[in-house]
Amino acid sequence: VQLQASGGGLVQAGGSLRLSCAASGRTFSNYVMGWFRQAPGKEREFVAVLSRSGDLTFYADSVKGRFTISRDNAKNTVYLQMNSLKPEDTAVYYCAAKFNLMPPRENYDYWGQGTLVTVSS
């Protein structure tokens, strides 16, 4: 499956952004999806994942209550709505897919190219 992330940009602290990730090549609804991020000088970390139907989600503690992951299987797209952004949310955000029943927090098989989110203070 091929993944194309978009929607990153520059935003002030407290603002919002919505990331999108369009999938192609395989049956999208067979894949659990996730968002991960990598800040400068740091390792890539888990942000949020959701199940194939979208009814089960998991979030990193650092984003819980501020970010929402969702998917539209008819559009082969997964989203990350990010509210109340903080400077420490600055990172390259990656979407990922895994052919699996449940959405794990690591070991994803397919990755998008990343989209940069910069939050200014």
Side-chain angles (χ1 to χ4, degrees):
V1 62
Q2 291 78 46
L3 303 173
Q4 181 73 36
S6 61
L10 175 63
V11 63
Q12 289 188 331
S16 298
L17 278 176
R18 188 176 81 154
L19 306 183
S20 299
C21 176
S24 62
R26 298 289 177 93
T27 304
F28 179 67
S29 58
N30 287 342
Y31 291 80
V32 298
M33 300 296 296
W35 286 97
F36 298 78
R37 67 186 182 186
Q38 186 167 18
K42 296 187 177 181
E43 294 186 353
R44 188 165 57 192
E45 65 176 4
F46 154 77
V47 174
V49 294
L50 83 169
S51 60
R52 298 188 297 184
S53 64
D55 59 350
L56 184 62
T57 58
F58 298 104
Y59 295 92
D61 288 343
S62 58
V63 307
K64 202 171 295 183
R66 300 188 298 122
F67 290 12
T68 302
I69 188 172
S70 62
R71 67 191 295 163
D72 185 337
N73 286 343
K75 295 183 178 180
N76 290 354
T77 302
V78 62
Y79 304 98
L80 185 68
Q81 177 67 44
M82 306 185 294
N83 299 328
S84 302
L85 282 161
K86 305 175 181 180
E88 51 264 42
D89 294 319
T90 295
V92 176
Y93 283 72
Y94 298 90
C95 59
K98 185 174 182 66
F99 186 76
N100 214 45
L101 288 175
M102 295 294 290
R105 302 184 187 213
E106 57 185 3
N107 296 328
Y108 277 67
D109 301 316
Y110 303 95
W111 294 85
Q113 86 290 0
T115 185
L116 177 62
V117 172
T118 303
V119 184
S120 63
S121 57

